Amino acid sequence: MRTVYPVLRYPDPRAAIDWLCAAFGFAVHAVHEAPDGSVAHAELTLDTGMIMIGGRAESRPRPAEDDWAVYVAIDDVDAHCVRARAAGAEIVREPFDTDYGSRDYAARDLVGNMWSFGTYRA
């Protein structure tokens, strides 16, 4: 059972949902609409993880690279990086091996949020 759900807000949640699925391999679990047809709340899954998506009225400045990032454990870092790059993700750090045995890379999504992907699983 999941106990932590990162919540990300985007000016265009529908575009974000489509992009996150195409670039990072998420799958739509649920999309709940507001009375006006906009996305009130969405849930996307990847393996056993889940993130929640919501809207926000306007764009904000890009977070700094060291402010925060969502970490997602995956099996094939190099293939995932290729997929993300092809979908337009800004690759901030190319795939690399860590001293603790993980292979990682970092990317920004379509509004500048930082994402880290790697093989480390706690």
Side-chain angles (χ1 to χ4, degrees):
M1 176 178 259
R2 293 178 272 269
T3 59
V4 177
Y5 302 84
V7 178
L8 301 162
R9 301 205 179 276
Y10 294 88
D12 184 346
R14 284 197 197 282
I17 291 165
D18 292 343
W19 192 89
L20 291 166
C21 291
F24 294 157
F26 282 93
V28 175
H29 178 74
V31 175
H32 303 281
E33 294 184 347
D36 67 0
S38 64
V39 174
H41 170 82
E43 299 166 0
L44 305 181
T45 59
L46 183 66
D47 195 18
T48 61
M50 180 180 281
I51 61 172
M52 296 182 182
I53 302 294
R56 68 174 188 235
E58 73 284 331
S59 293
R60 295 183 186 160
R62 248 167 82 143
E65 288 182 19
D66 60 354
D67 279 351
W68 61 274
V70 175
Y71 183 86
V72 181
I74 57 174
D75 293 325
D76 189 341
V77 168
D78 295 282
H80 195 274
C81 183
V82 168
R83 175 186 183 155
R85 185 187 321 275
E90 176 190 350
I91 306 304
V92 175
R93 188 158 185 203
E94 294 291 335
F96 65 98
D97 296 318
T98 69
D99 58 357
Y100 49 88
S102 184
R103 183 150 177 84
D104 295 357
Y105 86 96
R108 286 190 183 275
D109 67 17
L110 71 168
V111 298
N113 294 318
M114 285 295 299
W115 293 78
S116 291
F117 295 92
T119 58
Y120 179 80
R121 295 178 194 265

